Amino acid sequence: MGEMTRKAGDATDRAESSDWLDHAVRAGLVAYGVVHLMIAWIALQLALGDQSGSASSTGALQQLTDEPFGELAIWLIAIGMLLLVVWRVLEAVGGHRGEEGKDLWLKRASSVLKGVIYAVIGWSAVQVATGSGSKGGSDDTTATVMNMSGGQFMVGLAGVLVIAYGVGQIVRAWTEKFREHLTAEGKSGEAGTAYIWFGKAGYAAKGVAIGIVGGLFLYAAYTHQAKKSGGLDQALHKVLQQPYGPVMLGVIAVGIGCYGLFCFARARHLSR
């Protein structure tokens, strides 16, 4: 068993250090950036009064189908997300070798979580491309969980975890920890300064939006009303309903767009 574990670790090391994985990650990050730019565009339209689109990854993909070569683009996004899932699986299985103890397991758990996020977007892309997407919303899933034994607690816990993740994104923006994802060249000069600002705005905006999603889940658990929960689209609509909502939503939309641009910068100056 020890020999098999060692061989598996060696295989993972070879895969993680290979050029093909670099190319795969770059392609995936470009696809991820496109999705965020589309979400940002829909959110900006929402802030300006057009509520015809859904400001979510699925909504962004659906809007992309109306563009020339839209279906091809969606399939490329699905492939890009799959490549990112492969990368995160390799990280979760044998990556982060420089870490030990609790830090190692936290890093690997983070890789799993990111892999799940990429997988969800990728599966949404496949559903949109094949026309098999479900019409049910996130509140349907929440209602199913809520009706389980201990479901109210699980929905509340999910809300806490989502808020924690959102706060983590804001902390990354404040501390500029995301700089580790760029090579030295990607952090230098005027271009590097722009990339850093894209990252700061992008991570902060994503953190705020994700935190609101978590808050919706907490409120749904507290009131025992699944329809009070929601995904990114519902969260941005909540922002719109607040005083100066269109302005705040516009700022978040620009921030999400900046995250998309940072994904492009990261793809060009990749540091894994």
Side-chain angles (χ1 to χ4, degrees), residues 29-30 32-38 40 198 202-203 206 253-266:
L29 287 171
V30 169
Y32 201 42
V34 169
V35 171
H36 279 82
L37 286 178
M38 291 299 298
F198 289 155
Y203 277 96
K206 280 196 69 175
V254 171
I256 293 174
C258 286
Y259 184 85
L261 295 176
F262 180 76
C263 288
F264 295 158
R266 187 178 175 187

Side-chain angles (χ1 to χ4, degrees), residues 1 16 64 66 82 84 87 143 152 166 192 216 224-225 244 251 269:
M1 181 64 72
E16 279 218 306
L64 191 57
D66 298 330
L82 174 61
L84 290 181
W87 171 37
Q152 191 172 2
L216 291 177
H224 209 284
Q225 298 182 60
Y244 305 103
V251 171
H269 302 284

Side-chain angles (χ1 to χ4, degrees), residues 98-120:
E99 306 289 343
E100 294 182 353
K102 182 181 70 174
D103 290 339
L104 172 62
W105 291 108
L106 285 174
K107 290 275 190 179
R108 290 186 172 176
S110 176
S111 295
V112 171
L113 175 60
K114 291 174 182 176
V116 170
I117 293 172
Y118 299 147
V120 169

